[in-house]
Structures are given as structure tokens and as C-alpha cells.
Amino acid sequence: MGSPRQHRRFGGNCVTANLPGARGTARPATTQPHPATVDTPLVLSGATVVLPTGPVKNGQVVVEGTRITRTAPENAHVIDVSGNYLVPGFIDLHNHGGGGASFTSGTPEEILKGIHTHRIHGTTTLVASTVTGDMDFLTQRAGLLSELAEQGDIAGIHFEGPFISPCRKGAHSEALLRDPDPAEVRKLIDAARGQAKMLTLATELPGGLDSVRLLAEHGVIAAIGHTDATYEQTVEAIEAGATVATHLFNAMPPLGHRDPGPIAALLEDERITVELINDGTHLHPAALQLAFHHARAKRVALITDAMDAAGFGDGRYMLGPLEVEVSEGVARLVEGGSIAGSTLTLDRAFKRAVTVDGIPVEDVVAAISANPARLLGMSDRIGSLEPGKDADLVLLDDRFDLKGVMRRGEWVVDPQLG
């Protein structure tokens, strides 16, 4: 940790560490294979199908074209998936990359490889997250990512920074942080051409509340995160229109019995959905249980906060301008040692939630599919295995290991049966 110093772009001082960047040695991502297409109507029969009303044993899902349908045509092909679970495709609200590719700095081709890395782990819908950069760079990236959103490759853009607290910056470059400015927030929204879905900011900073109001007016999720806010300041931000807690517990003051801070305010308010990174590193199981107990399954969103190394391996990577060392699957800044995102994929988060944390399967499905779909305003298309919705689904065995992935009626991972 360094000594206190003045932040010219902020309204105060805090203890910080200088985190210089350097070139990393991340390897190129793998090639994306072409998925197998479901040419005829398909019936997946015999699995435990997890519906919004709960698990249904010996159920079936009918797929025709890109959609789930109610009744199987006479020419439908039946696949027996007995002994397995069928759950909706996973939806990741907060993801910075994977497969060796960064959504902040990669080329379109690299980004597509990163997206595919997460698809083969069950994430059929993904919001691409950026990390802190200067405004010109972020607006340029917003333009690039918006094209991928318009093509249907991603579900939109999440800006994490630069409007965050230097006291809780995590793996963001301190030199590039700034107070929230509604004019600059609007600049990012405009650059995203209607594809901005969420922006994380420290709402206690000057301009924070006005920025929250602006985001709400434009239909963009205002997420409270990387914040040093008090309980009272957090309540004020919620009243202004904030609706998400960015990776609850991480990059914010801990819960205190005299100074409860943002965690208590975010858990107690029915308007807030809390993101959780369930990789066994970011959260103790008791913290995850605490969140599920107080927010209930309807207000939890399991995310990855993944960076380039997800699905790729240990080594040196860049997260924005900062160098990251990934060792045994844990990503930390080379300078300072702060956790720098995760290498998590949502299939692992799902399995851990059920087998380690003891969360009921239907609650995990809500947190990993239904709730993110609702937040994105896409519940009419994705988030549950109901007739009329996209045929996005994941096949899991009785140990909750991934055995197949379908996206919009195409097998991304062919079903592994037997």
C-alpha cells in the first residue's frame, strides 16, 4: 500500500498503491468450431427439466427451428436424456473475456473466440464488460462492441469504470479513474448506439447520483460497485434509481455492526439484484449463503467477472493497462496482488452452488438464467425453458457436470450421453 495522496479527479484522499502496467504474454485463443444444426424437430425426453415452477422429473423439451415449442410434430427426432438435468442456457451479466481474448482490447475475431469459450461452458447469452480506460478509448470500444451486439453475438455492453472509487479500485488503473460526470456517461451511452446495458459506478462520488438518474432515464442499469459509500449514501443511490450491486462484498467496505456500509443497504432493498462471483476465491460459502438468505433467489445473479484466462490457463495477461498473473486459476495483479477478475465459467459456478453451497437447483437456475434475463429486459425470449422462447439450454448429468449446450436450436456442444 502506498501513502495517502490527492486524486485530482476526485473529491478526497485515500490510501492507494501505484499499479503500473506492462506487456503480458497471453496466448492466442483457439479456433471456434461450427456448431451442429438441429435440422428436424427434436424432443429431449426423460430428463429432470427445471422450469420456473420447479423441477419436473421425466420431462421433455421440444425444439423446432430456433424455438422451444409446446407439441412435438410427428416427424420429431427423440433423444433419451434420462438421468440428466435440462436447464435454461446461462446468462452472464458481467464478463471481461475468455479463451485468451479480452473484450476490452481484443479484435472482433478474438472477442468472438472469447464468446465461444463461454458458450461451450453453457453461457448462451453474454454481456461484454469493459474495464477502466480513457474516454476516447472507451467510446471507440463501445462502437466496436455495439456492432457485435447488433449481430446478436453479445447481449450488450457493461461499462465497469472509469467512474469508480480509488479507495476500492480493485484491478482498475488508478490513473484513469474519474468522478462520474453525467455528460461523459451520456457520451458512453451514445457511443453504444442503444447497446449499453449496465454501467458500474461509485455513486457517492461527485456527480454520482445525477449519473444514476441519467442512466435510469435511458434504460441503462445503474450498478453500485467499486464503492466506498456509507449505508446512507447507498440508500440514496437506490432511491435515485440504482438496481444492481456489482459483485456484492467485493470492492466495497465490509459489513460492520455499527457502520453497515453498502452491503446491508443492497441486501435489504427489494429493488436491488446482487451479483455474486461463486468461484471459491471471491466469496466464502457463508457469504454466498448470507446473500441468498437475505436477497432470496429472485434477487441474485451469478456472474463470472471472467478475464482472458477463463477457459485458457495460467500465465501472464493484460487487464486494461495492468498486468495480471494467473496461477492455479486465480488471477491477481502483478503489482499489488489484488484479485483481478476470475477465470470462472458459469457451469462451474452452477455446480459449486448446488454441490458445495447446497443451493436448490431451481434457485440456482433463477440466479443464473431467469434473473439476468429479467434485468436485461429479455424474459420474453430467454431465461426459462418455456414454449415460444429461444431454444437455449444446457444438459447436465446427475453430478451437475456439463454434457451438452444448445443455443437457438443449434448444438454448441453435442450431447454426451451413455
Side-chain angles (χ1 to χ4, degrees), residues 370-399:
N371 298 341
R374 169 181 52 80
L375 284 169
L376 293 174
M378 300 176 70
S379 292
D380 60 328
R381 286 183 44 207
I382 58 175
S384 62
L385 299 178
E386 296 177 283
K389 296 194 177 183
D390 289 352
D392 293 354
L393 57 86
V394 177
L395 183 69
L396 303 168
D397 67 15
D398 59 359
R399 296 176 298 179

mmCIF file of all heavy atoms in Angstrom, residues 370-399:
data_model
loop_
_atom_site.group_PDB
_atom_site.id
_atom_site.type_symbol
_atom_site.label_atom_id
_atom_site.label_comp_id
_atom_site.label_asym_id
_atom_site.label_seq_id
_atom_site.Cartn_x
_atom_site.Cartn_y
_atom_site.Cartn_z
ATOM 1 N N ALA A 370 -32.907 -16.897 -15.142
ATOM 2 C CA ALA A 370 -34.142 -16.101 -15.124
ATOM 3 C C ALA A 370 -33.906 -14.664 -14.684
ATOM 4 O O ALA A 370 -34.414 -13.714 -15.302
ATOM 5 C CB ALA A 370 -35.181 -16.773 -14.221
ATOM 6 N N ASN A 371 -33.151 -14.475 -13.605
ATOM 7 C CA ASN A 371 -32.939 -13.118 -13.094
ATOM 8 C C ASN A 371 -32.128 -12.248 -14.050
ATOM 9 O O ASN A 371 -32.489 -11.088 -14.300
ATOM 10 C CB ASN A 371 -32.278 -13.161 -11.716
ATOM 11 C CG ASN A 371 -33.143 -13.858 -10.681
ATOM 12 O OD1 ASN A 371 -34.346 -14.011 -10.874
ATOM 13 N ND2 ASN A 371 -32.534 -14.283 -9.593
ATOM 14 N N PRO A 372 -31.019 -12.749 -14.614
ATOM 15 C CA PRO A 372 -30.317 -11.936 -15.608
ATOM 16 C C PRO A 372 -31.190 -11.602 -16.820
ATOM 17 O O PRO A 372 -31.117 -10.491 -17.353
ATOM 18 C CB PRO A 372 -29.125 -12.818 -16.000
ATOM 19 C CG PRO A 372 -28.896 -13.689 -14.816
ATOM 20 C CD PRO A 372 -30.259 -13.969 -14.264
ATOM 21 N N ALA A 373 -32.022 -12.552 -17.259
ATOM 22 C CA ALA A 373 -32.912 -12.271 -18.386
ATOM 23 C C ALA A 373 -33.865 -11.134 -18.053
ATOM 24 O O ALA A 373 -34.125 -10.247 -18.882
ATOM 25 C CB ALA A 373 -33.693 -13.531 -18.763
ATOM 26 N N ARG A 374 -34.389 -11.149 -16.841
ATOM 27 C CA ARG A 374 -35.299 -10.077 -16.411
ATOM 28 C C ARG A 374 -34.581 -8.738 -16.401
ATOM 29 O O ARG A 374 -35.112 -7.734 -16.894
ATOM 30 C CB ARG A 374 -35.854 -10.412 -15.023
ATOM 31 C CG ARG A 374 -36.598 -9.261 -14.355
ATOM 32 C CD ARG A 374 -37.102 -9.657 -12.976
ATOM 33 N NE ARG A 374 -36.069 -10.214 -12.119
ATOM 34 C CZ ARG A 374 -35.169 -9.510 -11.448
ATOM 35 N NH1 ARG A 374 -35.149 -8.186 -11.557
ATOM 36 N NH2 ARG A 374 -34.291 -10.113 -10.668
ATOM 37 N N LEU A 375 -33.379 -8.692 -15.845
ATOM 38 C CA LEU A 375 -32.640 -7.437 -15.783
ATOM 39 C C LEU A 375 -32.349 -6.875 -17.175
ATOM 40 O O LEU A 375 -32.369 -5.661 -17.381
ATOM 41 C CB LEU A 375 -31.321 -7.637 -15.028
ATOM 42 C CG LEU A 375 -31.419 -7.731 -13.509
ATOM 43 C CD1 LEU A 375 -30.092 -8.194 -12.925
ATOM 44 C CD2 LEU A 375 -31.816 -6.390 -12.912
ATOM 45 N N LEU A 376 -32.101 -7.758 -18.123
ATOM 46 C CA LEU A 376 -31.786 -7.325 -19.487
ATOM 47 C C LEU A 376 -33.040 -6.998 -20.296
ATOM 48 O O LEU A 376 -32.943 -6.569 -21.446
ATOM 49 C CB LEU A 376 -30.986 -8.413 -20.210
ATOM 50 C CG LEU A 376 -29.578 -8.687 -19.685
ATOM 51 C CD1 LEU A 376 -28.965 -9.883 -20.393
ATOM 52 C CD2 LEU A 376 -28.686 -7.459 -19.840
ATOM 53 N N GLY A 377 -34.220 -7.215 -19.705
ATOM 54 C CA GLY A 377 -35.460 -6.981 -20.436
ATOM 55 C C GLY A 377 -35.684 -7.999 -21.533
ATOM 56 O O GLY A 377 -36.336 -7.707 -22.542
ATOM 57 N N MET A 378 -35.174 -9.233 -21.342
ATOM 58 C CA MET A 378 -35.236 -10.262 -22.372
ATOM 59 C C MET A 378 -36.002 -11.498 -21.925
ATOM 60 O O MET A 378 -35.878 -12.571 -22.528
ATOM 61 C CB MET A 378 -33.815 -10.636 -22.806
ATOM 62 C CG MET A 378 -33.015 -9.480 -23.380
ATOM 63 S SD MET A 378 -31.299 -9.907 -23.775
ATOM 64 C CE MET A 378 -31.528 -10.981 -25.185
ATOM 65 N N SER A 379 -36.793 -11.377 -20.865
ATOM 66 C CA SER A 379 -37.502 -12.534 -20.337
ATOM 67 C C SER A 379 -38.507 -13.131 -21.308
ATOM 68 O O SER A 379 -38.926 -14.279 -21.147
ATOM 69 C CB SER A 379 -38.227 -12.164 -19.034
ATOM 70 O OG SER A 379 -37.308 -11.899 -18.005
ATOM 71 N N ASP A 380 -38.920 -12.373 -22.298
ATOM 72 C CA ASP A 380 -39.852 -12.910 -23.288
ATOM 73 C C ASP A 380 -39.167 -13.859 -24.251
ATOM 74 O O ASP A 380 -39.834 -14.631 -24.959
ATOM 75 C CB ASP A 380 -40.502 -11.768 -24.073
ATOM 76 C CG ASP A 380 -39.488 -10.907 -24.823
ATOM 77 O OD1 ASP A 380 -38.341 -10.764 -24.321
ATOM 78 O OD2 ASP A 380 -39.841 -10.382 -25.892
ATOM 79 N N ARG A 381 -37.817 -13.855 -24.276
ATOM 80 C CA ARG A 381 -37.067 -14.677 -25.233
ATOM 81 C C ARG A 381 -36.190 -15.729 -24.577
ATOM 82 O O ARG A 381 -35.997 -16.812 -25.144
ATOM 83 C CB ARG A 381 -36.174 -13.784 -26.102
ATOM 84 C CG ARG A 381 -36.910 -12.981 -27.159
ATOM 85 C CD ARG A 381 -35.905 -12.198 -27.979
ATOM 86 N NE ARG A 381 -34.742 -13.021 -28.328
ATOM 87 C CZ ARG A 381 -33.529 -12.533 -28.561
ATOM 88 N NH1 ARG A 381 -33.300 -11.240 -28.475
ATOM 89 N NH2 ARG A 381 -32.536 -13.348 -28.881
ATOM 90 N N ILE A 382 -35.609 -15.413 -23.431
ATOM 91 C CA ILE A 382 -34.616 -16.302 -22.823
ATOM 92 C C ILE A 382 -34.839 -16.369 -21.317
ATOM 93 O O ILE A 382 -35.646 -15.637 -20.758
ATOM 94 C CB ILE A 382 -33.176 -15.829 -23.115
ATOM 95 C CG1 ILE A 382 -32.969 -14.389 -22.604
ATOM 96 C CG2 ILE A 382 -32.859 -15.925 -24.600
ATOM 97 C CD1 ILE A 382 -31.536 -13.883 -22.755
ATOM 98 N N GLY A 383 -34.112 -17.275 -20.654
ATOM 99 C CA GLY A 383 -34.133 -17.336 -19.197
ATOM 100 C C GLY A 383 -34.936 -18.472 -18.621
ATOM 101 O O GLY A 383 -34.848 -18.740 -17.419
ATOM 102 N N SER A 384 -35.727 -19.179 -19.452
ATOM 103 C CA SER A 384 -36.503 -20.319 -18.959
ATOM 104 C C SER A 384 -36.840 -21.233 -20.129
ATOM 105 O O SER A 384 -36.806 -20.820 -21.292
ATOM 106 C CB SER A 384 -37.785 -19.860 -18.261
ATOM 107 O OG SER A 384 -38.623 -19.162 -19.158
ATOM 108 N N LEU A 385 -37.160 -22.483 -19.801
ATOM 109 C CA LEU A 385 -37.478 -23.484 -20.818
ATOM 110 C C LEU A 385 -38.981 -23.520 -21.027
ATOM 111 O O LEU A 385 -39.677 -24.456 -20.622
ATOM 112 C CB LEU A 385 -36.948 -24.857 -20.386
ATOM 113 C CG LEU A 385 -35.437 -24.963 -20.186
ATOM 114 C CD1 LEU A 385 -35.043 -26.353 -19.708
ATOM 115 C CD2 LEU A 385 -34.690 -24.609 -21.474
ATOM 116 N N GLU A 386 -39.494 -22.486 -21.697
ATOM 117 C CA GLU A 386 -40.924 -22.363 -21.927
ATOM 118 C C GLU A 386 -41.213 -22.230 -23.411
ATOM 119 O O GLU A 386 -40.410 -21.665 -24.162
ATOM 120 C CB GLU A 386 -41.474 -21.150 -21.179
ATOM 121 C CG GLU A 386 -41.361 -21.259 -19.667
ATOM 122 C CD GLU A 386 -41.858 -20.011 -18.967
ATOM 123 O OE1 GLU A 386 -41.123 -19.002 -18.964
ATOM 124 O OE2 GLU A 386 -42.983 -20.051 -18.431
ATOM 125 N N PRO A 387 -42.362 -22.749 -23.860
ATOM 126 C CA PRO A 387 -42.713 -22.656 -25.279
ATOM 127 C C PRO A 387 -42.698 -21.214 -25.776
ATOM 128 O O PRO A 387 -43.128 -20.294 -25.088
ATOM 129 C CB PRO A 387 -44.134 -23.240 -25.317
ATOM 130 C CG PRO A 387 -44.180 -24.173 -24.163
ATOM 131 C CD PRO A 387 -43.352 -23.516 -23.091
ATOM 132 N N GLY A 388 -42.151 -21.039 -26.962
ATOM 133 C CA GLY A 388 -42.058 -19.723 -27.583
ATOM 134 C C GLY A 388 -40.726 -19.047 -27.367
ATOM 135 O O GLY A 388 -40.395 -18.086 -28.079
ATOM 136 N N LYS A 389 -39.937 -19.526 -26.410
ATOM 137 C CA LYS A 389 -38.643 -18.897 -26.134
ATOM 138 C C LYS A 389 -37.538 -19.550 -26.964
ATOM 139 O O LYS A 389 -37.706 -20.636 -27.526
ATOM 140 C CB LYS A 389 -38.330 -18.977 -24.640
ATOM 141 C CG LYS A 389 -39.320 -18.183 -23.790
ATOM 142 C CD LYS A 389 -38.830 -17.974 -22.389
ATOM 143 C CE LYS A 389 -39.812 -17.113 -21.599
ATOM 144 N NZ LYS A 389 -39.343 -16.824 -20.232
ATOM 145 N N ASP A 390 -36.410 -18.850 -27.044
ATOM 146 C CA ASP A 390 -35.267 -19.395 -27.766
ATOM 147 C C ASP A 390 -34.865 -20.743 -27.195
ATOM 148 O O ASP A 390 -34.916 -20.951 -25.966
ATOM 149 C CB ASP A 390 -34.069 -18.447 -27.675
ATOM 150 C CG ASP A 390 -34.256 -17.171 -28.480
ATOM 151 O OD1 ASP A 390 -35.248 -17.078 -29.232
ATOM 152 O OD2 ASP A 390 -33.410 -16.271 -28.355
ATOM 153 N N ALA A 391 -34.465 -21.646 -28.083
ATOM 154 C CA ALA A 391 -34.014 -22.968 -27.646
ATOM 155 C C ALA A 391 -32.578 -22.869 -27.153
ATOM 156 O O ALA A 391 -31.625 -23.313 -27.795
ATOM 157 C CB ALA A 391 -34.143 -23.968 -28.783
ATOM 158 N N ASP A 392 -32.422 -22.215 -25.997
ATOM 159 C CA ASP A 392 -31.137 -22.097 -25.303
ATOM 160 C C ASP A 392 -31.214 -23.007 -24.092
ATOM 161 O O ASP A 392 -32.034 -22.774 -23.183
ATOM 162 C CB ASP A 392 -30.897 -20.661 -24.832
ATOM 163 C CG ASP A 392 -30.694 -19.673 -25.968
ATOM 164 O OD1 ASP A 392 -30.631 -20.112 -27.133
ATOM 165 O OD2 ASP A 392 -30.612 -18.469 -25.685
ATOM 166 N N LEU A 393 -30.382 -24.032 -24.048
ATOM 167 C CA LEU A 393 -30.477 -24.972 -22.931
ATOM 168 C C LEU A 393 -29.133 -25.627 -22.666
ATOM 169 O O LEU A 393 -28.250 -25.660 -23.523
ATOM 170 C CB LEU A 393 -31.561 -26.018 -23.204
ATOM 171 C CG LEU A 393 -31.449 -26.861 -24.475
ATOM 172 C CD1 LEU A 393 -30.575 -28.084 -24.284
ATOM 173 C CD2 LEU A 393 -32.840 -27.289 -24.943
ATOM 174 N N VAL A 394 -29.022 -26.143 -21.450
ATOM 175 C CA VAL A 394 -27.809 -26.834 -21.005
ATOM 176 C C VAL A 394 -28.220 -28.181 -20.450
ATOM 177 O O VAL A 394 -29.181 -28.283 -19.672
ATOM 178 C CB VAL A 394 -27.055 -26.022 -19.944
ATOM 179 C CG1 VAL A 394 -25.838 -26.790 -19.430
ATOM 180 C CG2 VAL A 394 -26.622 -24.673 -20.508
ATOM 181 N N LEU A 395 -27.505 -29.211 -20.852
ATOM 182 C CA LEU A 395 -27.705 -30.563 -20.350
ATOM 183 C C LEU A 395 -26.636 -30.857 -19.309
ATOM 184 O O LEU A 395 -25.444 -30.733 -19.584
ATOM 185 C CB LEU A 395 -27.621 -31.568 -21.504
ATOM 186 C CG LEU A 395 -27.871 -33.038 -21.181
ATOM 187 C CD1 LEU A 395 -29.336 -33.273 -20.815
ATOM 188 C CD2 LEU A 395 -27.475 -33.916 -22.374
ATOM 189 N N LEU A 396 -27.062 -31.219 -18.102
ATOM 190 C CA LEU A 396 -26.156 -31.530 -17.000
ATOM 191 C C LEU A 396 -26.425 -32.953 -16.522
ATOM 192 O O LEU A 396 -27.586 -33.400 -16.503
ATOM 193 C CB LEU A 396 -26.373 -30.572 -15.828
ATOM 194 C CG LEU A 396 -26.229 -29.078 -16.110
ATOM 195 C CD1 LEU A 396 -26.764 -28.270 -14.927
ATOM 196 C CD2 LEU A 396 -24.776 -28.716 -16.392
ATOM 197 N N ASP A 397 -25.381 -33.659 -16.099
ATOM 198 C CA ASP A 397 -25.607 -35.004 -15.562
ATOM 199 C C ASP A 397 -25.995 -34.929 -14.093
ATOM 200 O O ASP A 397 -26.177 -33.833 -13.535
ATOM 201 C CB ASP A 397 -24.398 -35.910 -15.804
ATOM 202 C CG ASP A 397 -23.139 -35.502 -15.036
ATOM 203 O OD1 ASP A 397 -23.249 -34.693 -14.085
ATOM 204 O OD2 ASP A 397 -22.050 -35.987 -15.382
ATOM 205 N N ASP A 398 -26.116 -36.081 -13.441
ATOM 206 C CA ASP A 398 -26.596 -36.090 -12.057
ATOM 207 C C ASP A 398 -25.570 -35.559 -11.065
ATOM 208 O O ASP A 398 -25.879 -35.355 -9.894
ATOM 209 C CB ASP A 398 -27.059 -37.485 -11.652
ATOM 210 C CG ASP A 398 -25.968 -38.542 -11.774
ATOM 211 O OD1 ASP A 398 -24.834 -38.217 -12.202
ATOM 212 O OD2 ASP A 398 -26.245 -39.714 -11.464
ATOM 213 N N ARG A 399 -24.345 -35.294 -11.533
ATOM 214 C CA ARG A 399 -23.323 -34.641 -10.696
ATOM 215 C C ARG A 399 -23.174 -33.167 -11.070
ATOM 216 O O ARG A 399 -22.270 -32.499 -10.605
ATOM 217 C CB ARG A 399 -21.983 -35.362 -10.837
ATOM 218 C CG ARG A 399 -22.000 -36.806 -10.330
ATOM 219 C CD ARG A 399 -20.687 -37.487 -10.579
ATOM 220 N NE ARG A 399 -20.409 -37.566 -12.034
ATOM 221 C CZ ARG A 399 -19.309 -38.101 -12.550
ATOM 222 N NH1 ARG A 399 -18.361 -38.578 -11.769
ATOM 223 N NH2 ARG A 399 -19.142 -38.142 -13.867
#
